[in-house]
C-alpha cells in the first residue's frame, strides 16, 4: 500500500499516521521528495480498510499494491483447485460442459433436453427453477416443482444438476442439487454469499455481476470461502458496455487473468454473454481455445416456445455441432 | 411493438404469428415492402414477453414501443406521488434532506450526528446497521444493535429514520424504521423486492444499480408496486463508467427523465455518486437545481475515524454549508 | 511514481533500475518488506514514459502518483485562467453563454438565430460549417460558404463566433472566427492539436471525447499548450455509457474536478450531452449551479427542419426561458 | 423505419408527414391503435436522416429497422471480400498474421524484428512511423525517416508493410506502403476517411474506436468505400469499459457479428486489446478460433527498451510460440 501525503502536512500528523500503521502491523517506509512525500507500506494489508486511510486529513491518496483477497489468491495456493461436481471434476485440466434449458418447464421437457445434451456430450445438466426476471410480469420459474423435475431428469440420465438459488429460504429444497448457482444479479448479495459459505460444502457456481470488476468477483468468492466453503467456480457471462449489438460483451481475456490471480476454475457462459443463439457456437469455441475449465450453455428442445431466453437457446442439433467443435479445439487450448 | 419479419418467410408462418398475436389481445397491422415486412402491434403489450416473440423463426427483430411498466408509469398516473416518510413528505413539490453517517457506530455517535444534521436543517436521519461491503474483512455494521441506536437517535431528535434492509430475515427488527432502503447491489434481488412489496406499506427508498438502466430501475419499482406497496422513492447514486476520477459517475439528467416517465419521487445521493467529500457540496447543489425531490447525504462527526466511507463523508460543518447552499438554490430549481 | 518489484528479483537487476532512475533525475526510495519491495520515486516524473518502466523485467507494476500534465495543471498555475473570446471573457468568475444552430444553413437562418439568441442574452454565437457526421450520407455542412454566413451574422449582431475546425487545411478560412472548436471525435487527433497550438493564439474550445477520461482531456489540452497556445477552454459534452435513455451521459461532477486539477475554464454542452431538447433546460441550470464557466447550447429557428441535430435543438422561445433560469440560478452557483 | 406518432396529434399533421415521406420515396403504412399510432416505412431509408424525422412535432420516436450502410453491407454483397495486401490475401478463407514493433526505432531494429517475425511465420510487417501518443512528452515516432527504415525492412525480407497514417499531409510518403492503417482515435476523423477513400486503392486497415459501436465502425468503413476505395479491413482492438485489469476489453463476439453484417475481412489486435504481453498469446489463439481473418501483433526485439508499448510487446521467442499455437488451432476455426 502506498500513501501519498498532502503537501504542507505537519510532521506531527505524519508521525501519528506512522504510529497508527505500526499499530496495525504495517511496516512504513517514508520517501521525502521536494514536492511530495510517500509512505510505502509493506506487510499484510489485506485486512486493512483502505477507505479509512484515504479519509485521513494528511493523506492525499492511497493505492493498494497487494491483493485484498487471500483464500482465492493463487499466491497462497499455487495449485489449481479441482472441484468435484457430483462426480464430474472441474479445474486443473478437467473440462466439463453444463447444458440445459433456461428454465424447467415440465418433466417431459427437462428429461428430453437432458437426454439430448447427454447424447451430444454434455456432462452436467442445467435448468432454472427459481428465475430472476427483470419484469414482474415475466414467467418466474416453476419453483420447488421445477426442482423436482430437474431431480427426475438427473435420475433418468445420471447427469449431476446445476441450478440457481435466489434466496436462502429455498435452500432446504436443494438437497439433490449438485452445484448451486449464484446469479449475476446476486454476486454482491453478501448475505446469500455468507449463507452458502456457512451452510454447505457443495460447489458454488458464482457468476460475475453485470458491471463487476475481476477484483470484485474474487472478493465475492472470498466471502463464500471465508465463510467456510472452498468450492467456488467462477463464471464469466459477459459484462455491460455501450455496445448494443449483443446483450452483453463477452470478456474472454478474463480467463487467463483469473487463472493468474486465482486457483479457482473458470467457466464461460456464451449464452448469456451474447443473448443470440447463433453466436453461442463461435464464442463457445473461442472460450475453449483460450483455456476455460468449462462451459455452460442454454439448450432448449423448442426455443421459440421457451418460456424465457428463447432467443439465446441452441436447439439440441445446434448444441451437438457445438460439442463437436469444442472437442476438436480442446486439445489446442491454451494452458 | 414492432415486429420485423425475416426475408423469405412463408405466408403460413406469418399468418400463424398474426393469429398468435390476436390471441394475446394484440392488434397487428402489416406493412409489406419490397425488401421487408413489418407488423405494427397496438394494444397492451406490457404483459407480453418480448424475448419469446423475438425467438420465433419468422421474426428478424422486435422493438418495443410502449413501456413495460404500468404501476410506475406516469401515463397512467399523471399526478406526482407524494410519499409520507414518518411525517415528512417527499414528491409533488415536497423536498427533504436525509443525512447521517454511513454506519451507526455507537449510540453517542448517532445521536451526536443526528442533532448536528437536524440543527443544520436535515429532516430525516440515515444510518446503516446492516452494511453491504465488498470485502468480507471490512466492518459489516452493528446489525440489530445498530438499529436500536438509530431508534434512540430518532427518539432524541424526532427525526424519522432511513436504513438499509439487506435480507428480509432482518425485517422483524424494522418496526420503528420509517423508510426502508434497498441498496444498489440489491436493486435486482427480485425476492427482496417482492417481500417489501407484500409485507409492508412503508416507503421504500430504491437505489439504482451500478449498471442499471432507467427502465430496469422502473421495472424494479414495478416489482414492489405490483406486490402491493405503492410507496417507492427512486434514488440516483451514480453509475459505473470507464471514468475513475470519481467512484461513480453521477447521471443528473435522470432526474427530469424519471419525472417524465414516472410519478414517483426522485432523490439523489451525492455521497456515493462521487465518493469524495469535497464533491458532495457541488453535486448536491446541482441535484437540487435540476429538480430532485430530495437528497441523501453522508455526514460523520469524525470522518477520518469513520468505520466506512469516511472519504465521502461530510463533517457537520461542511453539511451546514451545503444546507445553506441548497436552501438558496431551491427556489430556482427546475419544475 | 511507485514501482512494485517482482518477487524474487535479483539485487543486480534492482540496482540497474535504481541507476536508470537516477540517470533520469528521479530520486528513488526503497521499501523492502517480507513479501514485496517498493520503490517510491520523487522528482519530476511528468516527462517519464510510464509504459517503459512497467515493461522492465523486474517490475511487477507501476503507479503514477504525480500528474502527467504541467501547463494545464493548477498546481503550477494556482490562479484561474481567463480567456478572451473576441471580447467576451470566460473563466475566473466570467460566465458566458454560446448559442446557435448545429449547422449554418443559410445567411437568413444564421442571422435570424443570432439575433434571437442575442436578444435572449447569449454573448457568443455558435454554428457549424464543417460538420462531423457518423454517416457519409448525412448533410456535411456548407463548408467555406457556411463560414462566410457565420461571419455575416457576427457583423450584423456583434456576437463573437465559435465554430469547429475538422481539418487543419481549413484553417486559412478561420481568420474572422473568434473561438476554434475541436470536436469530441478529434480530441485525440494529436496532429490537429499541435497545429492549433503552433499556428494561432485564438481560444480553442476542446470538447471531451466520448470515452475520454479527465486525464486524457487534460493531456490533449497539454498538447495545445505545449505547442504554444495557452488559450484552451475545456468542454464537457457527455460521455458514452450503457444508458440509452439519453444520447450521452452528462458527467457534471467533472466541473468541480477539472477546476481542482486545472486552471482552465470549463464549459458544459447540455445539447450534445442529452440529445433531447426538453432536457437541455434542466441540465443547463444544473451545470450553471455546479459552477461551469459557460454553456454552449444549440438553438434553431425551426428545429424540425434543422439539417442536423434537430431533436436536441431548442427553439428561440425555449432558449429565452432557459436564459432566464440560468440568470436566476447563477448568483447561487458553486465556487 | 418505424415512426411512433404522439398521442393527440392532429390528422393534418400526420397527413403532412405521410406526404413528406412519400416525397422521399418512402412507402408509409399506418397502424392506428387505441393508445398509439405507428407508421411503418418500407423502402430505401439508408439515405434518410433519422434525426430529422425524430425532431418533427408529431413524432414521439423513430426506430430504424434497415441498416444505414450499403457498400459495407453483406445483404448487397453476399460474398466475402478478399483484399490483396501487397500480394498477401486477407478474407474469404485467407488468413494472415501482421507482426512487428509498435514503433520503428532504427533500421537495424526493424530489420531484425522483420526477419524474426518472418522466420516465425508472419506474412506482413507492421511498424509505426507516425505515433499517436496520449502525452505530448512521449516519443512521437521517427516520422518520414521511420517510413524509410520500414521500406528497407520490406526490401530485405519481402514482407509487405502496414503502417499508420495520422494526417493526410503525410500521404505523399506512403508510396511503398502496402496497407494504410487508420488508428482507433481517428476512426471518426471523417476527413481522413474521405481522403483515403478518394486518393488511393490501397487496403485500409480501419481500427475500431475505443467506444465505437459496430454500426459506427461500419459507417466509417462506408465513408471510405463511398469515397471510392472498396478495400477496407476492419480491426477489433478492444473497447473501453469499467474493467481496469486489462487496458481495453477485447470484444471477440464482434468477429462473427461483423461477418454477418458485412463482407469485409475482420482482423484482431490482441496487443492493444489487452495491453499485457502475457495475454497476447491466449487472446490471439481465441481470436483465431472464433474465425478472425487475421491478427496484428506487436513484437519487439527488446520490449523493456521499446520506445512505446513495451508492456504489451511479445519477444520474438514468445511470438514464435504464439504462431505455433495459431497454426495448430487454425484448422478448427469457426466458419
Amino acid at each position: 500500500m502506498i500513501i501519498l501525503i498532502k503537501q504542507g502536512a505537519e510532521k506531527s500528523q505524519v508521525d501519528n499516521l506512522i504510529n497508527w500503521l505500526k499499530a496495525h502491523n504495517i511496516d512504513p517506509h517514508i520517501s521525502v521528495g521536494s514536492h511530495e512525500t510517500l509512505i510505502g507500506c509493506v506487510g499484510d494489508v489485506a485486512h486493512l480498510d483502505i477507505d479509512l486511510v484515504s479519509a485521513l486529513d494528511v493523506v492525499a491518496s492511497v493505492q493498494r499494491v497487494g491483493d485484498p483477497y487471500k483464500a482465492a489468491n493463487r499466491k497462497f495456493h499455487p495449485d489449481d483447485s479441482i472441484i468435484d461436481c457430483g462426480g464430474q471434476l472441474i479445474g486443473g485440466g478437467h473440462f466439463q460442459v453444463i447444458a440445459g434449458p433456461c428454465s424447467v418447464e415440465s418433466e417431459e421437457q427437462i428429461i428430453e433436453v437432458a437426454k439430448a445434451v447427454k447424447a451430444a456430450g454434455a456432462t452436467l445438466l442445467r435448468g432454472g427453477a427459481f428465475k430472476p426476471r427483470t419484469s414482474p410480469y415475466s414467467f418466474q420459474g416453476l419453483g420447488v416443482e421445477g426442482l423436482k423435475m430437474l431431480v427426475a431428469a438427473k435420475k433418468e440420465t445420471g447427469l449431476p444438476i446445476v441450478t440457481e438459488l435466489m434466496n436462502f429460504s429455498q435452500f432446504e429444497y436443494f438437497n439433490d442439487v449438485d452445484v448451486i448457482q449464484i446469479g449475476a444479479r446476486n454476486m454482491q448479495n453478501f448475505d446469500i454469499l455468507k449463507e452458502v459459505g456457512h451452510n454447505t460444502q457443495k460447489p458454488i457456481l458464482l457468476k460475475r455481476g453485470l458491471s463487476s470488476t475481476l477484483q470484485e468477483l474474487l472478493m465475492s468468492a472470498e466471502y463464500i470461502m471465508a465463510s467456510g466453503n472452498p468450492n467456488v467456480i467462477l463464471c464469466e457471462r459477459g459484462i455491460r458496455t455501450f455496445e448494443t449489438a449483443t446483450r452483453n460483451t463477452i470478456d474472454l481475456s478474463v480467463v487467463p487473468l483469473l487463472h493468474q490471480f486465482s486457483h479457482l476454475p473458470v467457466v464461460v457462459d456464451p449464452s448469456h454473454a451474447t443473448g443470440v443463439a447463433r453466436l453461442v457456437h463461435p464464442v463457445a469455441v473461442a472460450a475453449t481455445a483460450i483455456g476455460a475449465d468449462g462451459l455452460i450453455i442454454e439448450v432448449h428442445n423448442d426455443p421459440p416456445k421457451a418460456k424465457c431466453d428463447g432467443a439465446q437457446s441452441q436447439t439440441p442439433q445446434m448444441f451437438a455441432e457445438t460439442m463437436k467443435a469444442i472437442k476438436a479445439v480442446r486439445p489446442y487450448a491454451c494452458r
Side-chain angles (χ1 to χ4, degrees), chain A:
Chain A
M1 192 174 64
I2 305 297
I3 302 172
L4 174 66
I5 300 298
K6 278 187 188 157
Q7 289 185 302
E10 287 176 29
K11 193 182 170 304
S12 64
Q13 289 179 299
V14 179
D15 288 345
N16 282 345
L17 172 58
I18 288 167
N19 291 332
W20 183 88
L21 289 166
K22 286 178 179 166
H24 283 76
N25 291 316
I26 305 289
D27 187 14
H29 293 248
I30 305 158
S31 311
V32 180
S34 51
H35 285 84
E36 59 204 8
T37 299
L38 299 171
I39 302 180
C41 300
V42 287
D44 179 12
V45 298
H47 291 73
L48 206 69
D49 193 343
I50 196 165
D51 290 337
L52 210 147
V53 179
S54 62
L56 295 170
D57 228 27
V58 292
V59 173
S61 75
V62 185
Q63 294 180 301
R64 191 188 290 280
V65 174
D67 303 318
Y69 45 94
K70 300 197 96 176
N73 199 328
R74 188 177 282 275
K75 277 186 199 151
F76 308 113
H77 305 75
D79 292 334
D80 286 349
S81 280
I82 299 173
I83 314 277
D84 185 334
C85 300
Q88 303 290 356
L89 305 180
I90 296 188
H94 301 275
F95 178 89
Q96 307 297 342
V97 177
I98 307 163
C102 172
S103 67
V104 178
E105 294 168 19
S106 71
E107 193 168 314
E108 295 68 37
Q109 174 242 13
I110 187 69
I111 291 178
E112 181 185 338
V113 176
K115 287 180 176 171
V117 299
K118 185 182 181 184
T123 46
L124 292 104
L125 175 66
R126 59 152 291 157
F130 301 97
K131 297 298 307 170
R133 303 302 302 276
T134 304
S135 167
Y137 309 124
S138 295
F139 174 62
Q140 309 271 317
L142 294 180
V144 177
E145 289 310 303
L147 277 185
K148 289 181 190 164
M149 296 168 188
L150 197 58
V151 172
K154 174 184 175 177
K155 283 188 186 142
E156 186 78 20
T157 59
L159 293 176
I161 54 179
V162 182
T163 196
E164 179 166 353
L165 179 77
M166 281 181 67
N167 190 325
F168 195 69
S169 67
Q170 302 150 355
F171 182 70
E172 59 178 305
Y173 307 109
F174 275 61
N175 279 341
D176 295 319
V177 170
D178 299 281
V179 178
I180 297 174
Q181 177 177 315
I182 299 295
R185 287 169 185 76
N186 272 333
M187 193 203 87
Q188 292 196 317
N189 179 341
F190 302 113
D191 277 323
I192 207 170
L193 299 179
K194 288 182 201 169
E195 287 161 335
V196 297
H198 280 123
N199 294 288
T200 183
Q201 293 289 307
K202 289 190 181 184
I204 308 300
L205 182 74
L206 179 66
K207 294 195 135 189
R208 181 182 185 186
L210 276 75
S211 63
S212 297
T213 62
L214 292 196
Q215 182 168 304
E216 287 169 342
L217 173 60
L218 290 167
M219 290 311 289
S220 287
E222 191 82 7
Y223 258 99
I224 299 169
M225 298 172 90
S227 302
N229 183 351
N231 301 310
V232 179
I233 301 167
L234 306 171
C235 182
E236 161 68 20
R237 43 78 74 209
I239 56 172
R240 183 160 276 186
T241 70
F242 63 85
E243 178 61 73
T244 56
T246 42
R247 182 182 290 189
N248 297 292
T249 297
I250 180 77
D251 182 8
L252 283 181
S253 62
V254 306
V255 176
L257 269 176
L258 286 173
H259 282 151
Q260 174 186 348
F261 299 152
S262 178
H263 50 93
L264 298 172
V266 181
V267 159
V268 171
D269 175 347
S271 307
H272 286 86
T274 61
V276 182
R278 62 172 295 286
L279 294 177
V280 170
H281 179 105
V283 171
V285 170
T288 304
I290 209 167
D293 299 294
L295 300 170
I296 177 163
I297 296 179
E298 285 191 4
V299 180
H300 194 282
N301 48 335
D302 190 4
K305 297 211 181 108
K307 292 204 173 168
C308 75
D309 284 350
Q312 72 193 36
S313 289
Q314 289 193 318
T315 60
Q317 291 70 32
M318 292 165 78
F319 177 68
E321 286 301 309
T322 299
M323 281 303 301
K324 273 188 217 159
I326 290 167
K327 285 176 186 165
V329 87
R330 175 85 185 120
Y332 308 101
C334 295
R335 294 186 85 193

